[in-house]
PDB file of all heavy atoms in Angstrom:
ATOM      1  N   HIS A  28      53.359 -13.208 -79.577  1.00 94.00           N
ATOM      2  CA  HIS A  28      52.452 -12.702 -80.648  1.00 94.00           C
ATOM      3  C   HIS A  28      51.225 -13.551 -80.742  1.00 94.00           C
ATOM      4  O   HIS A  28      50.162 -13.088 -81.191  1.00 94.00           O
ATOM      5  CB  HIS A  28      53.216 -12.669 -81.982  1.00 94.00           C
ATOM      6  CG  HIS A  28      54.351 -11.719 -82.023  1.00 94.00           C
ATOM      7  ND1 HIS A  28      54.168 -10.313 -81.933  1.00 94.00           N
ATOM      8  CD2 HIS A  28      55.682 -11.889 -82.063  1.00 94.00           C
ATOM      9  CE1 HIS A  28      55.376  -9.715 -82.002  1.00 94.00           C
ATOM     10  NE2 HIS A  28      56.278 -10.660 -82.071  1.00 94.00           N
ATOM     11  N   LYS A  29      51.361 -14.809 -80.274  1.00 95.00           N
ATOM     12  CA  LYS A  29      50.212 -15.740 -80.338  1.00 95.00           C
ATOM     13  C   LYS A  29      49.600 -15.929 -78.947  1.00 95.00           C
ATOM     14  O   LYS A  29      48.691 -16.772 -78.820  1.00 95.00           O
ATOM     15  CB  LYS A  29      50.628 -17.067 -80.890  1.00 95.00           C
ATOM     16  CG  LYS A  29      51.092 -17.024 -82.394  1.00 95.00           C
ATOM     17  CD  LYS A  29      51.430 -18.408 -82.881  1.00 95.00           C
ATOM     18  CE  LYS A  29      51.827 -18.315 -84.401  1.00 95.00           C
ATOM     19  NZ  LYS A  29      52.178 -19.669 -84.922  1.00 95.00           N
ATOM     20  N   ASN A  30      50.134 -15.258 -77.934  1.00 95.00           N
ATOM     21  CA  ASN A  30      49.619 -15.410 -76.575  1.00 95.00           C
ATOM     22  C   ASN A  30      49.660 -16.895 -76.140  1.00 95.00           C
ATOM     23  O   ASN A  30      48.761 -17.333 -75.447  1.00 95.00           O
ATOM     24  CB  ASN A  30      48.197 -14.882 -76.446  1.00 95.00           C
ATOM     25  CG  ASN A  30      48.126 -13.397 -76.319  1.00 95.00           C
ATOM     26  OD1 ASN A  30      49.073 -12.683 -76.682  1.00 95.00           O
ATOM     27  ND2 ASN A  30      47.018 -12.859 -75.882  1.00 95.00           N
ATOM     28  N   THR A  31      50.696 -17.554 -76.534  1.00 96.00           N
ATOM     29  CA  THR A  31      50.771 -18.999 -76.242  1.00 96.00           C
ATOM     30  C   THR A  31      52.107 -19.435 -75.658  1.00 96.00           C
ATOM     31  O   THR A  31      53.139 -18.925 -76.096  1.00 96.00           O
ATOM     32  CB  THR A  31      50.511 -19.772 -77.552  1.00 96.00           C
ATOM     33  OG1 THR A  31      49.209 -19.441 -78.070  1.00 96.00           O
ATOM     34  CG2 THR A  31      50.571 -21.288 -77.332  1.00 96.00           C
ATOM     35  N   VAL A  32      52.054 -20.319 -74.716  1.00 97.00           N
ATOM     36  CA  VAL A  32      53.199 -21.008 -74.136  1.00 97.00           C
ATOM     37  C   VAL A  32      53.133 -22.459 -74.479  1.00 97.00           C
ATOM     38  O   VAL A  32      52.069 -23.042 -74.483  1.00 97.00           O
ATOM     39  CB  VAL A  32      53.268 -20.809 -72.632  1.00 97.00           C
ATOM     40  CG1 VAL A  32      54.356 -21.679 -72.008  1.00 97.00           C
ATOM     41  CG2 VAL A  32      53.550 -19.325 -72.279  1.00 97.00           C
ATOM     42  N   TYR A  33      54.293 -23.037 -74.827  1.00 98.00           N
ATOM     43  CA  TYR A  33      54.364 -24.430 -75.200  1.00 98.00           C
ATOM     44  C   TYR A  33      55.216 -25.220 -74.187  1.00 98.00           C
ATOM     45  O   TYR A  33      56.126 -24.693 -73.596  1.00 98.00           O
ATOM     46  CB  TYR A  33      54.999 -24.565 -76.609  1.00 98.00           C
ATOM     47  CG  TYR A  33      54.321 -23.770 -77.650  1.00 98.00           C
ATOM     48  CD1 TYR A  33      54.747 -22.517 -78.060  1.00 98.00           C
ATOM     49  CD2 TYR A  33      53.160 -24.235 -78.280  1.00 98.00           C
ATOM     50  CE1 TYR A  33      54.118 -21.771 -78.996  1.00 98.00           C
ATOM     51  CE2 TYR A  33      52.524 -23.511 -79.256  1.00 98.00           C
ATOM     52  CZ  TYR A  33      53.011 -22.291 -79.624  1.00 98.00           C
ATOM     53  OH  TYR A  33      52.366 -21.546 -80.576  1.00 98.00           O
ATOM     54  N   LEU A  34      54.891 -26.478 -74.080  1.00 98.00           N
ATOM     55  CA  LEU A  34      55.717 -27.416 -73.284  1.00 98.00           C
ATOM     56  C   LEU A  34      55.947 -28.620 -74.198  1.00 98.00           C
ATOM     57  O   LEU A  34      55.048 -29.436 -74.351  1.00 98.00           O
ATOM     58  CB  LEU A  34      55.082 -27.818 -71.984  1.00 98.00           C
ATOM     59  CG  LEU A  34      55.962 -28.643 -71.049  1.00 98.00           C
ATOM     60  CD1 LEU A  34      57.119 -27.799 -70.556  1.00 98.00           C
ATOM     61  CD2 LEU A  34      55.108 -29.189 -69.895  1.00 98.00           C
ATOM     62  N   GLN A  35      57.134 -28.685 -74.723  1.00 98.00           N
ATOM     63  CA  GLN A  35      57.557 -29.869 -75.507  1.00 98.00           C
ATOM     64  C   GLN A  35      58.076 -30.954 -74.595  1.00 98.00           C
ATOM     65  O   GLN A  35      59.038 -30.701 -73.861  1.00 98.00           O
ATOM     66  CB  GLN A  35      58.617 -29.493 -76.515  1.00 98.00           C
ATOM     67  CG  GLN A  35      59.150 -30.643 -77.345  1.00 98.00           C
ATOM     68  CD  GLN A  35      58.071 -31.234 -78.293  1.00 98.00           C
ATOM     69  OE1 GLN A  35      57.378 -30.468 -78.948  1.00 98.00           O
ATOM     70  NE2 GLN A  35      58.007 -32.521 -78.382  1.00 98.00           N
ATOM     71  N   MET A  36      57.438 -32.090 -74.611  1.00 98.00           N
ATOM     72  CA  MET A  36      57.776 -33.173 -73.703  1.00 98.00           C
ATOM     73  C   MET A  36      58.327 -34.353 -74.476  1.00 98.00           C
ATOM     74  O   MET A  36      57.547 -34.965 -75.294  1.00 98.00           O
ATOM     75  CB  MET A  36      56.567 -33.585 -72.871  1.00 98.00           C
ATOM     76  CG  MET A  36      55.925 -32.436 -72.145  1.00 98.00           C
ATOM     77  SD  MET A  36      54.597 -32.888 -71.014  1.00 98.00           S
ATOM     78  CE  MET A  36      53.409 -33.644 -72.172  1.00 98.00           C
ATOM     79  N   ASN A  37      59.562 -34.714 -74.313  1.00 98.00           N
ATOM     80  CA  ASN A  37      60.202 -35.809 -74.991  1.00 98.00           C
ATOM     81  C   ASN A  37      60.603 -36.895 -73.988  1.00 98.00           C
ATOM     82  O   ASN A  37      60.652 -36.654 -72.800  1.00 98.00           O
ATOM     83  CB  ASN A  37      61.468 -35.328 -75.749  1.00 98.00           C
ATOM     84  CG  ASN A  37      61.116 -34.296 -76.784  1.00 98.00           C
ATOM     85  OD1 ASN A  37      60.040 -34.334 -77.431  1.00 98.00           O
ATOM     86  ND2 ASN A  37      62.068 -33.388 -77.092  1.00 98.00           N
ATOM     87  N   SER A  38      60.863 -38.069 -74.519  1.00 98.00           N
ATOM     88  CA  SER A  38      61.320 -39.187 -73.680  1.00 98.00           C
ATOM     89  C   SER A  38      60.393 -39.347 -72.498  1.00 98.00           C
ATOM     90  O   SER A  38      60.852 -39.516 -71.317  1.00 98.00           O
ATOM     91  CB  SER A  38      62.736 -38.950 -73.174  1.00 98.00           C
ATOM     92  OG  SER A  38      63.651 -38.804 -74.285  1.00 98.00           O
ATOM     93  N   LEU A  39      59.090 -39.385 -72.743  1.00 98.00           N
ATOM     94  CA  LEU A  39      58.133 -39.481 -71.704  1.00 98.00           C
ATOM     95  C   LEU A  39      58.190 -40.771 -70.929  1.00 98.00           C
ATOM     96  O   LEU A  39      58.497 -41.828 -71.512  1.00 98.00           O
ATOM     97  CB  LEU A  39      56.725 -39.227 -72.238  1.00 98.00           C
ATOM     98  CG  LEU A  39      56.398 -37.768 -72.559  1.00 98.00           C
ATOM     99  CD1 LEU A  39      55.201 -37.645 -73.497  1.00 98.00           C
ATOM    100  CD2 LEU A  39      56.121 -37.025 -71.266  1.00 98.00           C
ATOM    101  N   LYS A  40      57.945 -40.699 -69.642  1.00 98.00           N
ATOM    102  CA  LYS A  40      57.971 -41.855 -68.749  1.00 98.00           C
ATOM    103  C   LYS A  40      56.611 -42.062 -68.131  1.00 98.00           C
ATOM    104  O   LYS A  40      55.799 -41.117 -68.006  1.00 98.00           O
ATOM    105  CB  LYS A  40      59.014 -41.622 -67.663  1.00 98.00           C
ATOM    106  CG  LYS A  40      60.402 -41.301 -68.150  1.00 98.00           C
ATOM    107  CD  LYS A  40      61.315 -40.966 -66.976  1.00 98.00           C
ATOM    108  CE  LYS A  40      62.683 -40.597 -67.407  1.00 98.00           C
ATOM    109  NZ  LYS A  40      63.588 -40.291 -66.318  1.00 98.00           N
ATOM    110  N   PRO A  41      56.282 -43.297 -67.704  1.00 97.00           N
ATOM    111  CA  PRO A  41      55.003 -43.489 -67.009  1.00 97.00           C
ATOM    112  C   PRO A  41      54.753 -42.563 -65.854  1.00 97.00           C
ATOM    113  O   PRO A  41      53.629 -42.146 -65.575  1.00 97.00           O
ATOM    114  CB  PRO A  41      55.057 -44.969 -66.602  1.00 97.00           C
ATOM    115  CG  PRO A  41      55.972 -45.567 -67.617  1.00 97.00           C
ATOM    116  CD  PRO A  41      56.987 -44.547 -67.897  1.00 97.00           C
ATOM    117  N   GLU A  42      55.857 -42.179 -65.165  1.00 97.00           N
ATOM    118  CA  GLU A  42      55.742 -41.353 -63.984  1.00 97.00           C
ATOM    119  C   GLU A  42      55.392 -39.842 -64.395  1.00 97.00           C
ATOM    120  O   GLU A  42      55.112 -39.046 -63.486  1.00 97.00           O
ATOM    121  CB  GLU A  42      56.956 -41.352 -63.111  1.00 97.00           C
ATOM    122  CG  GLU A  42      58.266 -41.137 -63.853  1.00 97.00           C
ATOM    123  CD  GLU A  42      58.944 -42.469 -64.194  1.00 97.00           C
ATOM    124  OE1 GLU A  42      58.259 -43.372 -64.646  1.00 97.00           O
ATOM    125  OE2 GLU A  42      60.187 -42.544 -64.043  1.00 97.00           O
ATOM    126  N   ASP A  43      55.407 -39.541 -65.666  1.00 98.00           N
ATOM    127  CA  ASP A  43      54.948 -38.244 -66.121  1.00 98.00           C
ATOM    128  C   ASP A  43      53.396 -38.169 -66.236  1.00 98.00           C
ATOM    129  O   ASP A  43      52.861 -37.074 -66.534  1.00 98.00           O
ATOM    130  CB  ASP A  43      55.550 -37.902 -67.485  1.00 98.00           C
ATOM    131  CG  ASP A  43      57.094 -37.740 -67.424  1.00 98.00           C
ATOM    132  OD1 ASP A  43      57.544 -37.129 -66.454  1.00 98.00           O
ATOM    133  OD2 ASP A  43      57.768 -38.222 -68.345  1.00 98.00           O
ATOM    134  N   THR A  44      52.751 -39.272 -66.078  1.00 98.00           N
ATOM    135  CA  THR A  44      51.292 -39.339 -66.176  1.00 98.00           C
ATOM    136  C   THR A  44      50.656 -38.421 -65.141  1.00 98.00           C
ATOM    137  O   THR A  44      50.957 -38.545 -63.929  1.00 98.00           O
ATOM    138  CB  THR A  44      50.790 -40.745 -65.983  1.00 98.00           C
ATOM    139  OG1 THR A  44      51.255 -41.524 -67.090  1.00 98.00           O
ATOM    140  CG2 THR A  44      49.276 -40.802 -65.985  1.00 98.00           C
ATOM    141  N   ALA A  45      49.835 -37.480 -65.599  1.00 98.00           N
ATOM    142  CA  ALA A  45      49.191 -36.538 -64.654  1.00 98.00           C
ATOM    143  C   ALA A  45      48.302 -35.596 -65.515  1.00 98.00           C
ATOM    144  O   ALA A  45      48.342 -35.638 -66.730  1.00 98.00           O
ATOM    145  CB  ALA A  45      50.262 -35.673 -63.962  1.00 98.00           C
ATOM    146  N   VAL A  46      47.522 -34.789 -64.796  1.00 98.00           N
ATOM    147  CA  VAL A  46      46.852 -33.674 -65.466  1.00 98.00           C
ATOM    148  C   VAL A  46      47.839 -32.463 -65.383  1.00 98.00           C
ATOM    149  O   VAL A  46      48.344 -32.156 -64.337  1.00 98.00           O
ATOM    150  CB  VAL A  46      45.514 -33.319 -64.711  1.00 98.00           C
ATOM    151  CG1 VAL A  46      44.883 -32.109 -65.368  1.00 98.00           C
ATOM    152  CG2 VAL A  46      44.566 -34.518 -64.735  1.00 98.00           C
ATOM    153  N   TYR A  47      48.040 -31.888 -66.557  1.00 98.00           N
ATOM    154  CA  TYR A  47      48.965 -30.784 -66.656  1.00 98.00           C
ATOM    155  C   TYR A  47      48.175 -29.486 -66.760  1.00 98.00           C
ATOM    156  O   TYR A  47      47.228 -29.369 -67.543  1.00 98.00           O
ATOM    157  CB  TYR A  47      49.833 -30.977 -67.884  1.00 98.00           C
ATOM    158  CG  TYR A  47      50.942 -31.951 -67.681  1.00 98.00           C
ATOM    159  CD1 TYR A  47      50.637 -33.302 -67.563  1.00 98.00           C
ATOM    160  CD2 TYR A  47      52.245 -31.579 -67.578  1.00 98.00           C
ATOM    161  CE1 TYR A  47      51.636 -34.228 -67.380  1.00 98.00           C
ATOM    162  CE2 TYR A  47      53.295 -32.480 -67.367  1.00 98.00           C
ATOM    163  CZ  TYR A  47      52.961 -33.826 -67.267  1.00 98.00           C
ATOM    164  OH  TYR A  47      53.982 -34.726 -67.030  1.00 98.00           O
ATOM    165  N   TYR A  48      48.594 -28.502 -65.954  1.00 98.00           N
ATOM    166  CA  TYR A  48      47.939 -27.212 -65.879  1.00 98.00           C
ATOM    167  C   TYR A  48      48.959 -26.103 -66.222  1.00 98.00           C
ATOM    168  O   TYR A  48      50.118 -26.140 -65.810  1.00 98.00           O
ATOM    169  CB  TYR A  48      47.419 -26.927 -64.478  1.00 98.00           C
ATOM    170  CG  TYR A  48      46.410 -27.920 -63.946  1.00 98.00           C
ATOM    171  CD1 TYR A  48      46.782 -29.039 -63.232  1.00 98.00           C
ATOM    172  CD2 TYR A  48      45.049 -27.672 -64.119  1.00 98.00           C
ATOM    173  CE1 TYR A  48      45.851 -29.928 -62.764  1.00 98.00           C
ATOM    174  CE2 TYR A  48      44.092 -28.528 -63.609  1.00 98.00           C
ATOM    175  CZ  TYR A  48      44.524 -29.669 -62.942  1.00 98.00           C
ATOM    176  OH  TYR A  48      43.594 -30.556 -62.435  1.00 98.00           O
ATOM    177  N   CYS A  49      48.498 -25.110 -66.941  1.00 97.00           N
ATOM    178  CA  CYS A  49      49.301 -23.911 -67.121  1.00 97.00           C
ATOM    179  C   CYS A  49      48.682 -22.812 -66.222  1.00 97.00           C
ATOM    180  O   CYS A  49      47.475 -22.859 -65.890  1.00 97.00           O
ATOM    181  CB  CYS A  49      49.385 -23.405 -68.516  1.00 97.00           C
ATOM    182  SG  CYS A  49      47.837 -22.820 -69.277  1.00 97.00           S
ATOM    183  N   ALA A  50      49.553 -21.876 -65.823  1.00 97.00           N
ATOM    184  CA  ALA A  50      49.102 -20.827 -64.910  1.00 97.00           C
ATOM    185  C   ALA A  50      49.897 -19.573 -65.207  1.00 97.00           C
ATOM    186  O   ALA A  50      51.022 -19.658 -65.710  1.00 97.00           O
ATOM    187  CB  ALA A  50      49.329 -21.246 -63.487  1.00 97.00           C
ATOM    188  N   GLU A  51      49.298 -18.435 -64.919  1.00 96.00           N
ATOM    189  CA  GLU A  51      49.937 -17.147 -65.171  1.00 96.00           C
ATOM    190  C   GLU A  51      49.976 -16.318 -63.893  1.00 96.00           C
ATOM    191  O   GLU A  51      49.095 -16.399 -63.036  1.00 96.00           O
ATOM    192  CB  GLU A  51      49.110 -16.362 -66.197  1.00 96.00           C
ATOM    193  CG  GLU A  51      49.246 -16.785 -67.616  1.00 96.00           C
ATOM    194  CD  GLU A  51      48.589 -15.842 -68.603  1.00 96.00           C
ATOM    195  OE1 GLU A  51      47.763 -15.017 -68.165  1.00 96.00           O
ATOM    196  OE2 GLU A  51      48.889 -15.905 -69.803  1.00 96.00           O
ATOM    197  N   ARG A  52      50.967 -15.500 -63.832  1.00 95.00           N
ATOM    198  CA  ARG A  52      51.080 -14.458 -62.785  1.00 95.00           C
ATOM    199  C   ARG A  52      51.623 -13.189 -63.370  1.00 95.00           C
ATOM    200  O   ARG A  52      52.583 -13.250 -64.150  1.00 95.00           O
ATOM    201  CB  ARG A  52      51.938 -14.945 -61.583  1.00 95.00           C
ATOM    202  CG  ARG A  52      53.338 -15.340 -61.940  1.00 95.00           C
ATOM    203  CD  ARG A  52      54.013 -16.017 -60.792  1.00 95.00           C
ATOM    204  NE  ARG A  52      54.214 -15.161 -59.637  1.00 95.00           N
ATOM    205  CZ  ARG A  52      55.299 -14.497 -59.387  1.00 95.00           C
ATOM    206  NH1 ARG A  52      56.353 -14.540 -60.241  1.00 95.00           N
ATOM    207  NH2 ARG A  52      55.416 -13.718 -58.291  1.00 95.00           N
ATOM    208  N   ILE A  53      51.078 -12.071 -63.002  1.00 92.00           N
ATOM    209  CA  ILE A  53      51.545 -10.799 -63.552  1.00 92.00           C
ATOM    210  C   ILE A  53      52.811 -10.416 -62.790  1.00 92.00           C
ATOM    211  O   ILE A  53      52.904 -10.594 -61.566  1.00 92.00           O
ATOM    212  CB  ILE A  53      50.491  -9.685 -63.471  1.00 92.00           C
ATOM    213  CG1 ILE A  53      50.903  -8.480 -64.273  1.00 92.00           C
ATOM    214  CG2 ILE A  53      50.176  -9.348 -61.990  1.00 92.00           C
ATOM    215  CD1 ILE A  53      49.788  -7.484 -64.499  1.00 92.00           C
ATOM    216  N   VAL A  54      53.832 -10.015 -63.543  1.00 91.00           N
ATOM    217  CA  VAL A  54      55.125  -9.703 -62.991  1.00 91.00           C
ATOM    218  C   VAL A  54      55.642  -8.384 -63.516  1.00 91.00           C
ATOM    219  O   VAL A  54      55.255  -7.931 -64.600  1.00 91.00           O
ATOM    220  CB  VAL A  54      56.135 -10.802 -63.220  1.00 91.00           C
ATOM    221  CG1 VAL A  54      55.757 -12.101 -62.498  1.00 91.00           C
ATOM    222  CG2 VAL A  54      56.337 -11.041 -64.713  1.00 91.00           C
ATOM    223  N   ASP A  55      56.618  -7.783 -62.737  1.00 91.00           N
ATOM    224  CA  ASP A  55      57.170  -6.500 -63.209  1.00 91.00           C
ATOM    225  C   ASP A  55      58.481  -6.625 -63.931  1.00 91.00           C
ATOM    226  O   ASP A  55      59.019  -5.671 -64.409  1.00 91.00           O
ATOM    227  CB  ASP A  55      57.270  -5.596 -61.967  1.00 91.00           C
ATOM    228  CG  ASP A  55      58.082  -6.165 -60.853  1.00 91.00           C
ATOM    229  OD1 ASP A  55      58.602  -7.326 -61.046  1.00 91.00           O
ATOM    230  OD2 ASP A  55      58.190  -5.575 -59.803  1.00 91.00           O
ATOM    231  N   SER A  56      59.056  -7.876 -63.932  1.00 90.00           N
ATOM    232  CA  SER A  56      60.294  -8.049 -64.621  1.00 90.00           C
ATOM    233  C   SER A  56      60.522  -9.496 -64.922  1.00 90.00           C
ATOM    234  O   SER A  56      59.789 -10.403 -64.479  1.00 90.00           O
ATOM    235  CB  SER A  56      61.452  -7.555 -63.747  1.00 90.00           C
ATOM    236  OG  SER A  56      61.776  -8.506 -62.739  1.00 90.00           O
ATOM    237  N   ASP A  57      61.519  -9.790 -65.794  1.00 89.00           N
ATOM    238  CA  ASP A  57      61.868 -11.159 -66.133  1.00 89.00           C
ATOM    239  C   ASP A  57      62.459 -11.896 -64.950  1.00 89.00           C
ATOM    240  O   ASP A  57      62.637 -13.114 -64.969  1.00 89.00           O
ATOM    241  CB  ASP A  57      62.825 -11.185 -67.327  1.00 89.00           C
ATOM    242  CG  ASP A  57      62.106 -11.105 -68.659  1.00 89.00           C
ATOM    243  OD1 ASP A  57      61.183 -11.929 -68.840  1.00 89.00           O
ATOM    244  OD2 ASP A  57      62.458 -10.271 -69.475  1.00 89.00           O
ATOM    245  N   TYR A  58      62.935 -11.188 -63.900  1.00 87.00           N
ATOM    246  CA  TYR A  58      63.592 -11.826 -62.789  1.00 87.00           C
ATOM    247  C   TYR A  58      62.630 -12.188 -61.699  1.00 87.00           C
ATOM    248  O   TYR A  58      63.027 -12.815 -60.715  1.00 87.00           O
ATOM    249  CB  TYR A  58      64.686 -10.860 -62.260  1.00 87.00           C
ATOM    250  CG  TYR A  58      65.639 -10.507 -63.319  1.00 87.00           C
ATOM    251  CD1 TYR A  58      65.603  -9.223 -63.947  1.00 87.00           C
ATOM    252  CD2 TYR A  58      66.606 -11.389 -63.766  1.00 87.00           C
ATOM    253  CE1 TYR A  58      66.517  -8.870 -64.975  1.00 87.00           C
ATOM    254  CE2 TYR A  58      67.519 -11.014 -64.784  1.00 87.00           C
ATOM    255  CZ  TYR A  58      67.413  -9.815 -65.373  1.00 87.00           C
ATOM    256  OH  TYR A  58      68.252  -9.447 -66.380  1.00 87.00           O
ATOM    257  N   ASN A  59      61.393 -11.892 -61.860  1.00 89.00           N
ATOM    258  CA  ASN A  59      60.346 -12.201 -60.866  1.00 89.00           C
ATOM    259  C   ASN A  59      59.758 -13.496 -61.234  1.00 89.00           C
ATOM    260  O   ASN A  59      58.895 -13.592 -62.098  1.00 89.00           O
ATOM    261  CB  ASN A  59      59.275 -11.097 -60.823  1.00 89.00           C
ATOM    262  CG  ASN A  59      58.298 -11.253 -59.731  1.00 89.00           C
ATOM    263  OD1 ASN A  59      58.193 -12.357 -59.144  1.00 89.00           O
ATOM    264  ND2 ASN A  59      57.576 -10.208 -59.397  1.00 89.00           N
ATOM    265  N   VAL A  60      60.239 -14.610 -60.622  1.00 88.00           N
ATOM    266  CA  VAL A  60      59.779 -15.945 -60.949  1.00 88.00           C
ATOM    267  C   VAL A  60      59.308 -16.651 -59.667  1.00 88.00           C
ATOM    268  O   VAL A  60      59.747 -16.301 -58.599  1.00 88.00           O
ATOM    269  CB  VAL A  60      60.885 -16.761 -61.644  1.00 88.00           C
ATOM    270  CG1 VAL A  60      61.232 -16.174 -63.007  1.00 88.00           C
ATOM    271  CG2 VAL A  60      62.111 -16.913 -60.810  1.00 88.00           C
ATOM    272  N   ALA A  61      58.486 -17.635 -59.835  1.00 93.00           N
ATOM    273  CA  ALA A  61      58.000 -18.394 -58.674  1.00 93.00           C
ATOM    274  C   ALA A  61      57.638 -19.776 -59.116  1.00 93.00           C
ATOM    275  O   ALA A  61      57.090 -19.997 -60.187  1.00 93.00           O
ATOM    276  CB  ALA A  61      56.745 -17.664 -58.107  1.00 93.00           C
ATOM    277  N   LYS A  62      57.965 -20.753 -58.218  1.00 95.00           N
ATOM    278  CA  LYS A  62      57.687 -22.143 -58.507  1.00 95.00           C
ATOM    279  C   LYS A  62      56.546 -22.674 -57.663  1.00 95.00           C
ATOM    280  O   LYS A  62      56.139 -23.842 -57.862  1.00 95.00           O
ATOM    281  CB  LYS A  62      58.951 -22.973 -58.204  1.00 95.00           C
ATOM    282  CG  LYS A  62      60.101 -22.591 -59.127  1.00 95.00           C
ATOM    283  CD  LYS A  62      61.332 -23.474 -58.838  1.00 95.00           C
ATOM    284  CE  LYS A  62      62.508 -23.093 -59.743  1.00 95.00           C
ATOM    285  NZ  LYS A  62      63.713 -23.884 -59.469  1.00 95.00           N
ATOM    286  N   SER A  63      56.039 -21.879 -56.739  1.00 95.00           N
ATOM    287  CA  SER A  63      54.893 -22.346 -55.951  1.00 95.00           C
ATOM    288  C   SER A  63      53.560 -22.052 -56.632  1.00 95.00           C
ATOM    289  O   SER A  63      53.377 -20.938 -57.104  1.00 95.00           O
ATOM    290  CB  SER A  63      54.905 -21.659 -54.576  1.00 95.00           C
ATOM    291  OG  SER A  63      53.706 -21.856 -53.889  1.00 95.00           O
ATOM    292  N   PRO A  64      52.693 -23.024 -56.718  1.00 96.00           N
ATOM    293  CA  PRO A  64      51.410 -22.763 -57.310  1.00 96.00           C
ATOM    294  C   PRO A  64      50.634 -21.700 -56.641  1.00 96.00           C
ATOM    295  O   PRO A  64      49.785 -21.045 -57.284  1.00 96.00           O
ATOM    296  CB  PRO A  64      50.690 -24.123 -57.237  1.00 96.00           C
ATOM    297  CG  PRO A  64      51.423 -24.925 -56.272  1.00 96.00           C
ATOM    298  CD  PRO A  64      52.830 -24.427 -56.269  1.00 96.00           C
ATOM    299  N   ASP A  65      50.883 -21.401 -55.362  1.00 96.00           N
ATOM    300  CA  ASP A  65      50.165 -20.394 -54.639  1.00 96.00           C
ATOM    301  C   ASP A  65      50.464 -19.008 -55.168  1.00 96.00           C
ATOM    302  O   ASP A  65      49.715 -18.045 -54.904  1.00 96.00           O
ATOM    303  CB  ASP A  65      50.557 -20.450 -53.166  1.00 96.00           C
ATOM    304  CG  ASP A  65      50.078 -21.711 -52.518  1.00 96.00           C
ATOM    305  OD1 ASP A  65      49.130 -22.342 -53.035  1.00 96.00           O
ATOM    306  OD2 ASP A  65      50.648 -22.132 -51.489  1.00 96.00           O
ATOM    307  N   GLU A  66      51.570 -18.838 -55.874  1.00 96.00           N
ATOM    308  CA  GLU A  66      51.947 -17.547 -56.397  1.00 96.00           C
ATOM    309  C   GLU A  66      51.278 -17.167 -57.731  1.00 96.00           C
ATOM    310  O   GLU A  66      51.405 -16.041 -58.206  1.00 96.00           O
ATOM    311  CB  GLU A  66      53.492 -17.510 -56.649  1.00 96.00           C
ATOM    312  CG  GLU A  66      54.309 -17.736 -55.405  1.00 96.00           C
ATOM    313  CD  GLU A  66      54.237 -16.602 -54.448  1.00 96.00           C
ATOM    314  OE1 GLU A  66      54.006 -15.434 -54.901  1.00 96.00           O
ATOM    315  OE2 GLU A  66      54.456 -16.814 -53.242  1.00 96.00           O
ATOM    316  N   TYR A  67      50.495 -18.095 -58.275  1.00 96.00           N
ATOM    317  CA  TYR A  67      49.909 -17.876 -59.582  1.00 96.00           C
ATOM    318  C   TYR A  67      48.431 -17.415 -59.489  1.00 96.00           C
ATOM    319  O   TYR A  67      47.709 -17.903 -58.625  1.00 96.00           O
ATOM    320  CB  TYR A  67      50.026 -19.104 -60.505  1.00 96.00           C
ATOM    321  CG  TYR A  67      51.434 -19.288 -60.939  1.00 96.00           C
ATOM    322  CD1 TYR A  67      52.448 -19.786 -60.085  1.00 96.00           C
ATOM    323  CD2 TYR A  67      51.838 -18.898 -62.239  1.00 96.00           C
ATOM    324  CE1 TYR A  67      53.738 -19.892 -60.464  1.00 96.00           C
ATOM    325  CE2 TYR A  67      53.123 -19.050 -62.656  1.00 96.00           C
ATOM    326  CZ  TYR A  67      54.065 -19.533 -61.751  1.00 96.00           C
ATOM    327  OH  TYR A  67      55.402 -19.641 -62.194  1.00 96.00           O
ATOM    328  N   ASP A  68      48.067 -16.527 -60.361  1.00 94.00           N
ATOM    329  CA  ASP A  68      46.771 -15.879 -60.298  1.00 94.00           C
ATOM    330  C   ASP A  68      45.706 -16.548 -61.159  1.00 94.00           C
ATOM    331  O   ASP A  68      44.533 -16.553 -60.793  1.00 94.00           O
ATOM    332  CB  ASP A  68      46.880 -14.448 -60.780  1.00 94.00           C
ATOM    333  CG  ASP A  68      47.932 -13.645 -59.954  1.00 94.00           C
ATOM    334  OD1 ASP A  68      47.812 -13.687 -58.702  1.00 94.00           O
ATOM    335  OD2 ASP A  68      48.815 -13.028 -60.563  1.00 94.00           O
TER     336      ASP A  68
END
């Protein structure tokens, strides 16, 4: 309803230091998932 995705990050470690990016890809079902950044539009 808010067009928003959240990432709650707890117990952060120095190795979590980075630039964090969100990305979207249009899909036809909840089962269509991808972990490669190349799959995102």
Side-chain angles (χ1 to χ4, degrees):
H28 296 293
K29 296 183 178 180
N30 282 19
T31 300
V32 169
Y33 304 97
L34 185 67
Q35 178 67 43
M36 306 187 296
N37 298 330
S38 303
L39 283 161
K40 304 175 181 180
E42 51 263 45
D43 293 319
T44 296
V46 177
Y47 283 70
Y48 299 89
C49 67
E51 284 188 344
R52 57 190 295 265
I53 192 166
V54 294
D55 54 4
S56 79
D57 275 310
Y58 303 103
N59 188 343
V60 296
K62 298 181 181 179
S63 169
D65 295 337
E66 299 289 334
Y67 286 77
D68 303 308

